Amino acid sequence: MNSNTALDNLRNGSTTAQTLLGEDNHPTTLNELTNREYSASNDELADLQSDAGSLNATTMELGASGGFVAQTLQSVLKAIRGEQGESTPVIPANAQAVSVNGNDYQIGAMPPPDINHDNGFLQNPADASDPVPISTRPPTGSERAYYLKEVALAKGGNIVSAIPGAGIFTSKADLDEAIDAYSHFLTGGGETYDVDYGNYLTDDVNGRTTNDSIVQDIQAAGDQLFANEVADGAIKLDDIAVGERIVFTVSGDAIAVGGGAPDNPNSQRFPYPESENWQKAIGAHQVYTRSEVTVTRLENGTLLASAAIEVNFEDRYNFNPGQQDIATGAPDSERGVLEQTGLAQQFDQVGQAQLETQWIIGSPDEAYVAPSNGSSR
């Protein structure tokens, strides 16, 4: 790869992330860039530096990969100037899983956990773990009339919710996600439904508690896994130069949100949704995380850890025998009959949220906040 090619690739805007890092954003490709020698004229260097601002703006639109692109840009600029670039990120060997607050985490990309969902009113009564729903039955005339009424009410609720100021006249404007989910239950044909889980983590007070618990657990898990790698000799602290980055993936097992036993500590840390909107929209559900942790040696010798956390949400929307609506007390059997008759269909819900955090290695209990003057501490 010659210097002109490097310059051209850096000026390619939205394609830069794939060009520099490969489609999988694997840091090994970064090694191939930073360990080569580049040469450029002063004019080319000036042009490249002037393009850095627009490139950084582009990387903000690329999500989690943006940080890598920005780091790559800095490394290539240093190489062109003849400065020493950042050392190659190291991917530690897989270590034994660690348990944080009863949840397991380990180094390495893992497949999604096997999350079992019940089938509500279509669950095999002889086997609570049977994943295959039982057959539906034909609806009666009154059941069909009830279904049509529910479809009209849900549609009306969606219309009211979309009217500015409707909350002055009706509470339906506060149930947007709940109405959308119920409408999908009635008319979605059982298709998988996407939920803006990031909205839940910021909108609902218990969602914010879940958000904080996820971040705290990733800090603790990442810190402990890093310490284990040091203890095993896979990472040698004395060999980590200033600016060198150690990158590793942390995969977590499924966490029950709002579904734990009252005496389970996770019931307090991952509580049931507080608002009626999110109680009806997602209720009890499960999440799991995939995080990319980067540990960097600062100029003062401190090891700063940062984590880009991908939160994955899963749930099955249905109604369950013996349960009732929290806000109204209406028994689930009122709408469960719509499942039994096949007029409405249960469906799987999925969603993602992206979180970020920083902490000092050895002090995972508190998020790191960079000084306002930009210096390291």
Side-chain angles (χ1 to χ4, degrees):
M1 182 177 183
N2 58 42
S3 60
N4 289 334
T5 302
L7 294 172
D8 291 341
N9 285 340
L10 284 170
R11 293 179 179 131
N12 276 341
S14 62
T15 63
T16 302
Q18 292 181 351
T19 303
L20 294 180
L21 302 175
E23 293 182 354
D24 61 355
N25 294 341
H26 198 285
T28 300
T29 308
L30 184 58
N31 179 31
E32 297 173 4
L33 284 171
T34 57
N35 285 347
R36 291 176 182 267
E37 294 182 358
Y38 296 90
S39 62
S41 67
N42 290 334
D43 290 341
E44 288 175 322
L45 178 56
D47 290 342
L48 177 59
Q49 290 172 319
S50 69
D51 287 344
S54 60
L55 176 61
N56 283 331
T58 301
T59 63
M60 295 297 292
E61 302 175 0
L62 297 177
S65 64
F68 281 120
V69 177
Q71 292 169 3
T72 302
L73 173 63
Q74 294 170 4
S75 297
V76 174
L77 282 171
K78 287 182 179 180
I80 292 174
R81 297 189 192 105
E83 301 175 10
Q84 182 179 357
E86 294 181 353
S87 301
T88 304
V90 177
I91 302 178
N94 285 355
Q96 185 177 0
V98 299
S99 180
V100 176
N101 294 314
N103 304 314
D104 291 336
Y105 298 88
Q106 67 184 77
I107 289 178
M110 304 291 290
D114 186 12
I115 299 176
N116 297 319
H117 302 288
D118 67 73
N119 290 299
F121 280 86
L122 298 182
Q123 185 63 48
N124 181 351
D127 186 357
S129 63
D130 188 350
V132 181
I134 61 176
S135 300
T136 59
R137 61 169 176 79
T140 65
S142 60
E143 290 168 341
R144 188 176 296 278
Y146 171 67
Y147 168 74
L148 294 175
K149 182 188 77 171
E150 290 296 287
V151 171
L153 288 173
K155 181 178 181 181
N158 276 313
I159 293 174
V160 170
S161 296
I163 299 175
I168 298 174
F169 307 103
T170 175
S171 63
K172 289 181 179 178
D174 298 326
L175 300 177
D176 289 348
E177 284 78 10
I179 293 173
D180 286 344
Y182 187 53
S183 296
H184 193 75
F185 169 72
L186 295 171
T187 62
E191 293 293 323
T192 299
Y193 183 75
D194 289 328
V195 171
D196 185 350
Y197 195 67
N199 191 19
Y200 168 67
L201 294 179
T202 57
D203 180 61
D204 186 276
V205 62
N206 285 350
R208 293 191 287 275
T209 297
T210 292
N211 181 104
D212 293 344
S213 296
I214 290 172
V215 169
Q216 291 164 7
D217 284 1
I218 293 301
Q219 290 176 194
D223 202 89
Q224 189 172 340
L225 287 167
F226 181 84
N228 289 350
E229 293 293 325
V230 172
D232 291 342
I235 298 174
K236 301 185 185 302
L237 294 181
D238 292 340
D239 293 342
I240 303 176
V242 172
E244 182 173 359
R245 301 186 318 283
I246 296 176
V247 181
F248 56 99
T249 299
V250 175
S251 298
D253 203 0
I255 300 172
V257 179
D263 58 348
N264 187 329
N266 273 352
S267 296
Q268 304 300 319
R269 303 183 68 248
F270 297 95
Y272 197 86
E274 186 274 339
S275 63
E276 181 182 1
N277 178 43
W278 289 105
Q279 287 174 357
K280 285 179 161 64
I282 60 176
H285 56 277
Q286 304 220 29
V287 297
Y288 63 93
T289 58
R290 298 291 181 264
S291 306
E292 186 161 89
V293 178
T294 302
V295 179
T296 306
R297 175 77 73 184
L298 302 181
E299 291 183 0
N300 63 3
T302 300
L303 291 173
L304 175 65
S306 61
I309 308 168
E310 178 184 270
V311 184
N312 297 276
F313 152 84
E314 280 194 31
D315 181 47
R316 177 164 293 169
Y317 186 104
N318 55 25
F319 295 86
N320 298 94
Q323 296 186 10
Q324 64 183 35
D325 181 76
I326 295 175
T328 66
D332 275 20
S333 56
E334 287 187 9
R335 291 171 174 82
V337 69
L338 301 176
E339 297 179 39
Q340 293 172 314
T341 57
L343 291 168
Q345 293 80 35
Q346 65 179 4
F347 59 91
D348 290 340
Q349 301 190 97
V350 297
Q352 282 189 349
Q354 308 295 328
L355 309 178
E356 294 183 353
T357 187
Q358 289 184 317
W359 73 97
I360 296 298
I361 287 293
S363 302
D365 295 335
E366 184 176 349
Y368 171 82
V369 178
S372 58
N373 61 7
S375 62
S376 301
R377 66 173 176 86

